[in-house]
Amino acid sequence: MKYSETQEKALETAKTANALLQEEIDYEVFGQHLRMGRKRMGLTQAQFSEKMNLKPNFYGEYETGKRHINFPRFLQFVCVTQCSADMLLRGCHKD
Protein backbone atom coordinates (compact mmCIF):
# COMPACT_ATOMS: atom_id res chain seq x y z
CA MET A 1 0.00 0.00 0.00
CA LYS A 2 1.37 3.43 -0.96
CA TYR A 3 0.92 6.42 1.33
CA SER A 4 1.06 10.08 0.48
CA GLU A 5 3.94 12.14 1.83
CA THR A 6 1.63 13.62 4.49
CA GLN A 7 0.46 10.18 5.56
CA GLU A 8 4.06 8.95 5.74
CA LYS A 9 5.01 11.90 7.98
CA ALA A 10 1.98 11.34 10.22
CA LEU A 11 2.78 7.64 10.51
CA GLU A 12 6.41 8.37 11.37
CA THR A 13 5.34 10.97 13.98
CA ALA A 14 2.94 8.49 15.56
CA LYS A 15 5.62 5.77 15.67
CA THR A 16 8.10 8.17 17.28
CA ALA A 17 5.57 9.40 19.84
CA ASN A 18 4.56 5.83 20.65
CA ALA A 19 8.20 4.90 21.23
CA LEU A 20 8.63 7.90 23.56
CA LEU A 21 5.50 6.96 25.47
CA GLN A 22 6.79 3.42 26.01
CA GLU A 23 10.18 4.63 27.24
CA GLU A 24 9.32 7.59 29.41
CA ILE A 25 6.04 6.91 31.16
CA ASP A 26 5.89 6.14 34.85
CA TYR A 27 2.71 4.10 34.53
CA GLU A 28 1.76 4.40 38.19
CA VAL A 29 1.97 8.19 38.00
CA PHE A 30 0.07 8.17 34.71
CA GLY A 31 -2.64 6.04 36.33
CA GLN A 32 -2.93 8.46 39.27
CA HIS A 33 -3.34 11.39 36.90
CA LEU A 34 -5.82 9.48 34.77
CA ARG A 35 -7.83 8.71 37.93
CA MET A 36 -7.79 12.41 38.90
CA GLY A 37 -9.04 13.35 35.42
CA ARG A 38 -11.84 10.78 35.64
CA LYS A 39 -12.88 11.91 39.11
CA ARG A 40 -12.81 15.54 38.00
CA MET A 41 -15.42 14.52 35.44
CA GLY A 42 -17.49 12.98 38.26
CA LEU A 43 -17.44 9.50 36.73
CA THR A 44 -16.96 6.05 38.20
CA GLN A 45 -14.53 3.64 36.59
CA ALA A 46 -17.48 1.82 35.03
CA GLN A 47 -18.92 5.03 33.56
CA PHE A 48 -15.56 6.20 32.26
CA SER A 49 -14.67 2.81 30.80
CA GLU A 50 -17.99 2.85 28.95
CA LYS A 51 -17.08 6.24 27.41
CA MET A 52 -13.75 4.73 26.38
CA ASN A 53 -15.42 1.56 25.05
CA LEU A 54 -13.33 -0.58 27.41
CA LYS A 55 -14.19 -3.25 29.95
CA PRO A 56 -14.00 -1.79 33.49
CA ASN A 57 -11.30 -4.22 34.67
CA PHE A 58 -9.21 -3.48 31.56
CA TYR A 59 -9.52 0.27 32.20
CA GLY A 60 -8.77 -0.24 35.91
CA GLU A 61 -5.39 -1.67 34.94
CA TYR A 62 -4.49 1.69 33.38
CA GLU A 63 -5.33 3.48 36.63
CA THR A 64 -3.21 1.08 38.70
CA GLY A 65 -0.26 1.29 36.30
CA LYS A 66 -0.44 -2.40 35.40
CA ARG A 67 -1.30 -1.80 31.75
CA HIS A 68 0.97 0.09 29.36
CA ILE A 69 -0.54 2.52 26.93
CA ASN A 70 -0.07 2.99 23.20
CA PHE A 71 -0.25 6.30 21.37
CA PRO A 72 -3.81 6.00 19.96
CA ARG A 73 -5.20 5.06 23.39
CA PHE A 74 -3.24 7.90 25.00
CA LEU A 75 -4.78 10.37 22.55
CA GLN A 76 -8.20 8.93 23.36
CA PHE A 77 -7.59 9.50 27.09
CA VAL A 78 -6.49 13.09 26.39
CA CYS A 79 -9.64 13.76 24.36
CA VAL A 80 -12.13 12.11 26.73
CA THR A 81 -10.68 13.56 29.96
CA GLN A 82 -10.07 16.94 28.33
CA CYS A 83 -6.74 16.96 30.19
CA SER A 84 -3.53 18.02 28.54
CA ALA A 85 -0.96 15.41 27.64
CA ASP A 86 1.41 17.01 30.17
CA MET A 87 -1.18 16.74 32.91
CA LEU A 88 -1.71 13.03 32.26
CA LEU A 89 1.98 12.25 31.97
CA ARG A 90 3.47 14.53 34.58
CA GLY A 91 0.65 16.12 36.55
CA CYS A 92 1.34 19.52 35.05
CA HIS A 93 -1.69 21.73 34.92
CA LYS A 94 -2.57 25.38 35.00
CA ASP A 95 -4.75 26.38 37.94
Side-chain angles (χ1 to χ4, degrees):
M1 174 181 251
K2 276 204 154 223
Y3 295 107
S4 71
E5 186 176 333
T6 302
Q7 289 171 319
E8 288 287 345
K9 287 180 182 178
L11 183 59
E12 188 60 36
T13 300
K15 286 179 183 177
T16 301
N18 192 44
L20 288 172
L21 282 173
Q22 297 307 317
E23 293 173 14
E24 297 179 4
I25 288 182
D26 179 331
Y27 288 97
E28 286 184 29
V29 170
F30 171 76
Q32 292 168 2
H33 298 151
L34 185 59
R35 184 179 310 113
M36 286 188 290
R38 172 183 58 79
K39 287 185 174 185
R40 183 178 51 80
M41 295 173 69
L43 299 175
T44 65
Q45 278 190 351
Q47 292 166 327
F48 190 80
S49 63
E50 187 175 331
K51 281 185 163 297
M52 294 290 298
N53 199 29
L54 297 171
K55 292 184 179 182
N57 62 332
F58 189 87
Y59 168 73
E61 291 178 357
Y62 284 118
E63 283 196 4
T64 60
K66 293 178 183 172
R67 182 167 296 278
H68 291 193
I69 191 164
N70 62 29
F71 187 64
R73 179 77 67 205
F74 177 72
L75 289 179
Q76 187 181 17
F77 282 135
V78 168
C79 291
V80 172
T81 61
Q82 298 180 357
C83 293
S84 70
D86 278 344
M87 187 280 181
L88 287 178
L89 292 173
R90 299 180 190 95
C92 301
H93 49 78
K94 297 176 185 174
D95 285 334

